[in-house]
Amino acid sequence: MLLMITAVGGCLMSPMSVPITYQPESNVTPVPGASSVRVRVVGEDQRANTNSVGQYDQQSVVTSNNVGDTARDAVQSELRARGFVIDNGPATAEVRVQVLRLNGHFISSLFYSSYTAELEMHVEVVRPGKVIAYAQSFDETATTHPAVFGSVSRDFGDALSGALEQGVAKLFDDPAFMNALLAKP
């Protein structure tokens, strides 16, 4: 009996791991002039606890991948799709993607349940000479409703991934972002 209590208690105390993924936009049109712009993208996870992304009931939820790297890769994929040259060396511009908050929670009632994730992301375009040509913060919320036989880990991860996708979409919908990348030094 004690062994069973310890085993169940151990399961509840070990964190649940969820994936955060990014699905690039499809049918993206290349931006005129983008092929002459070399961009370096830096992702920074500036959250106080870089492992935790929330809680499910009494269980801590952690990411199975690096949040800063995932945000960086998401922005890189969108820039590349628009024709920008991604370069880790000397670049025309540096895009700094800072994740300030990413967390989720589960809400359940007799008739309704959902996973809600919140993202706070700050993005800067830094030109040579450390000139900040663009700075904008994005606060996004994404909610998913679990399938009847869904996976808690997948549904929680889908909400977190949805918040990231919304943040990146808002960034690329901001004409000031493209203007900062395309401006001549």
Side-chain angles (χ1 to χ4, degrees):
M1 181 70 163
L2 183 59
L3 179 61
M4 192 163 107
I5 291 170
T6 305
V8 170
C11 289
L12 290 176
M13 294 306 136
S14 63
M16 175 178 30
S17 181
V18 300
I20 299 174
T21 59
Y22 180 78
Q23 191 68 351
E25 271 189 61
S26 57
N27 301 321
V28 175
T29 305
V31 174
S35 61
S36 64
V37 179
R38 301 180 93 61
V39 180
R40 185 170 90 118
V41 183
V42 177
E44 301 171 352
D45 187 352
Q46 295 191 342
R47 298 172 303 135
N49 181 345
T50 59
N51 292 323
S52 177
V53 288
Q55 196 156 338
Y56 175 78
D57 199 17
Q58 298 298 313
Q59 191 173 15
S60 176
V61 180
V62 297
T63 60
S64 58
N65 50 341
N66 182 296
V67 170
D69 290 350
T70 303
R72 178 201 63 217
D73 294 348
V75 171
Q76 272 185 182
S77 69
E78 295 299 338
L79 287 168
R80 191 175 286 120
R82 286 161 178 77
F84 290 92
V85 179
I86 304 302
D87 194 340
N88 289 330
T92 308
E94 178 180 277
V95 175
R96 180 179 265 155
V97 182
Q98 302 165 330
V99 177
L100 306 174
R101 180 173 39 110
L102 180 63
N103 62 336
H105 56 276
F106 177 71
I107 298 171
S108 182
S109 70
L110 187 57
F111 302 105
Y112 176 84
S113 62
S114 67
Y115 298 88
T116 299
E118 299 168 326
L119 167 75
E120 182 180 352
M121 178 175 79
H122 183 76
V123 179
E124 294 178 346
V125 173
V126 183
R127 306 289 293 180
K130 300 193 188 266
V131 174
I132 297 175
Y134 175 87
Q136 184 66 42
S137 293
F138 301 89
D139 290 315
E140 299 303 322
T141 301
T143 300
T144 61
H145 302 283
V148 175
F149 297 106
S151 157
V152 172
S153 175
R154 188 190 73 237
D155 291 336
F156 205 106
D158 286 350
L160 294 165
S161 299
L164 176 62
E165 286 178 14
Q166 288 178 14
V168 172
K170 283 237 175 110
L171 170 66
F172 280 86
D173 285 343
D174 185 354
F177 177 61
M178 282 295 136
N179 291 340
L181 290 171
L182 295 168
K184 299 293 178 206

